[in-house]
Amino acid sequence: MESNNEFVQREDQSVYETEQPVLYDVKEGVAIVTMNRPSFNNAQNGQMTYALDAAFRRAVDDDAVKTILLKGAGKHFSAGHDIGTPGRDINRPMERVNMWWDHSNKPGGEFLYVREQEAYLNMCRRWRDIPKPTIAVVQGACIAGGLMLAWVCDLIVASEDAFFQDPVVRMGIPGVEYFAHPYELNPRIAKEFLFLGGRMPAQRAYEMGMVNRIIPRDQLDEQAMDMALAVAKQPRLALALTKQAINHIEDLQGKRSGMEAVFAWHHFAHSHSELISGDRIGGYDAKAMAKANKEGQ
């Protein structure tokens, strides 16, 4: 399998992790982009986020690629943003792809506001607008930041054991940064999804229209590839224009402007949490979130 170069992750020059955070392969005109931090359930640190962007750009630039599959190695699609692995690199400057300045040396709320504009909101909107069809292949957990990666894709196929969850309201935050909840779900269901923070099984996600197909786990990769190959038979420009048309209608319905408003509230919430608790996410690190999730089930 052809892969991006090896990345070395560092935080405060004291913690090291060597890994290929994203794998890239092309088969029969389908680019397969695979998140590759299975030991951390594909939690997204900065290196993974930028490696994903590079892989998507590579697929767009390759005329032989007709469709893109986004996958997660191992048991789970993605446990969300990295809030506690040894490779967490939030304090590191990155080679940015959007027109925001470096966040890493900025004070107060500017630090996280700038970082999340670049790495979460704008990066996800950039991926949503990829002109080639994208298909998320979800197994196991798709939690919080993992939702953002699935939701930017045009189609979502899920294994029977997959589940979706955005439990960040317990952190004092009104949902993840790429706030597509009322578009992926009926608004009342979106409120339930956020208020309770529980797991939504693949079957209910399918019933809500968030998932296109549910597939047995042992057939997931094969059937996802079959779907990608079927889509790839359509004319390239026709697919791009169709995608552009539907995304445009969503934006006319308020998706983009609504997301801007919620992103501002999201960062007000971060600042409020820091003022009252000393921590931007209300004291919930990765272990505390995992513990609360287990108790909630």
Side-chain angles (χ1 to χ4, degrees):
M1 180 174 284
E2 188 180 12
S3 305
N4 291 327
N5 292 332
E6 186 177 58
F7 289 83
V8 178
Q9 322 246 67
R10 303 181 182 184
E11 182 174 358
D12 301 328
Q13 303 300 312
S14 61
V15 177
Y16 298 84
E17 180 189 355
T18 302
E19 194 173 331
Q20 292 175 307
V22 172
L23 304 177
Y24 184 90
D25 191 23
V26 177
K27 295 179 180 178
E28 301 180 66
V30 177
I32 304 169
V33 177
T34 306
M35 295 177 283
N36 189 41
R37 299 185 77 211
S39 56
F40 300 113
N41 296 326
N42 296 318
Q44 309 147 27
N45 58 6
Q47 290 287 6
M48 174 182 277
T49 301
Y50 285 90
L52 280 170
D53 189 77
F56 288 139
R57 166 55 66 187
R58 186 173 178 178
V60 170
D61 288 344
D62 185 351
D63 283 346
V65 169
K66 306 299 183 184
T67 319
I68 302 168
L69 290 178
L70 176 62
K71 302 169 68 174
K75 185 178 179 181
H76 299 292
F77 177 76
S78 177
H81 297 146
D82 188 341
I83 58 173
T85 83
R88 189 173 188 237
D89 52 11
I90 192 171
N91 295 317
R92 289 190 61 200
M94 297 288 177
E95 292 293 329
R96 299 173 304 283
V97 299
N98 297 296
M99 289 296 181
W100 275 95
W101 50 80
D102 178 29
H103 75 285
S104 64
N105 60 354
K106 301 302 184 291
E110 186 178 3
F111 172 88
L112 205 57
Y113 184 84
V114 170
R115 200 257 183 178
E116 294 189 353
Q117 276 277 1
E118 160 74 9
Y120 297 157
L121 181 61
N122 287 333
M123 202 85 86
C124 283
R125 293 197 297 208
R126 173 184 172 91
W127 299 339
R128 174 190 179 238
D129 291 336
I130 291 170
K132 296 181 179 182
T134 54
I135 303 173
V137 185
V138 178
Q139 83 282 9
C142 182
I143 300 175
L147 293 168
M148 295 162 55
L149 298 181
W151 285 349
V152 300
C153 293
D154 302 303
L155 306 175
I156 300 174
V157 296
S159 63
E160 293 170 325
D161 67 338
F163 67 89
F164 302 84
Q165 184 178 20
D166 192 1
V168 301
V169 171
R170 72 170 66 110
M171 294 176 165
I173 304 166
V176 290
E177 295 83 354
Y178 182 84
F179 193 84
H181 305 62
Y183 291 87
E184 298 291 340
L185 299 164
N186 175 285
R188 189 162 282 108
I189 302 300
K191 290 176 183 177
E192 176 191 353
F193 189 61
L194 288 164
F195 288 175
L196 297 179
R199 296 180 177 185
M200 177 177 285
Q203 180 60 38
R204 192 171 195 212
Y206 174 77
E207 292 165 0
M208 293 297 107
M210 192 172 87
V211 166
N212 295 91
R213 296 182 185 176
I214 300 175
I215 301 169
R217 180 69 171 263
D218 61 355
Q219 299 174 33
L220 183 63
D221 289 343
E222 179 183 357
Q223 291 197 33
M225 177 59 81
D226 287 345
M227 178 184 281
L229 291 171
V231 172
K233 292 177 181 178
Q234 303 285 14
R236 177 176 57 235
L237 183 58
L239 287 169
L241 293 175
T242 300
K243 177 170 181 172
Q244 194 172 30
I246 294 173
N247 286 358
H248 179 63
I249 295 302
E250 281 191 316
D251 289 340
L252 288 176
Q253 292 172 335
K255 185 173 186 177
R256 187 179 181 91
S257 58
M259 206 172 280
E260 291 284 352
V262 178
F263 187 78
W265 296 327
H266 180 103
H267 280 275
F268 168 76
H270 275 316
S271 297
H272 178 69
S273 291
E274 188 165 25
L275 282 170
I276 64 172
S277 72
D279 183 79
R280 298 184 189 99
I281 53 177
Y284 278 95
D285 60 10
K287 289 183 180 179
M289 285 294 283
K291 182 174 183 291
N293 281 346
K294 288 178 181 178
E295 290 173 350
Q297 300 313 311

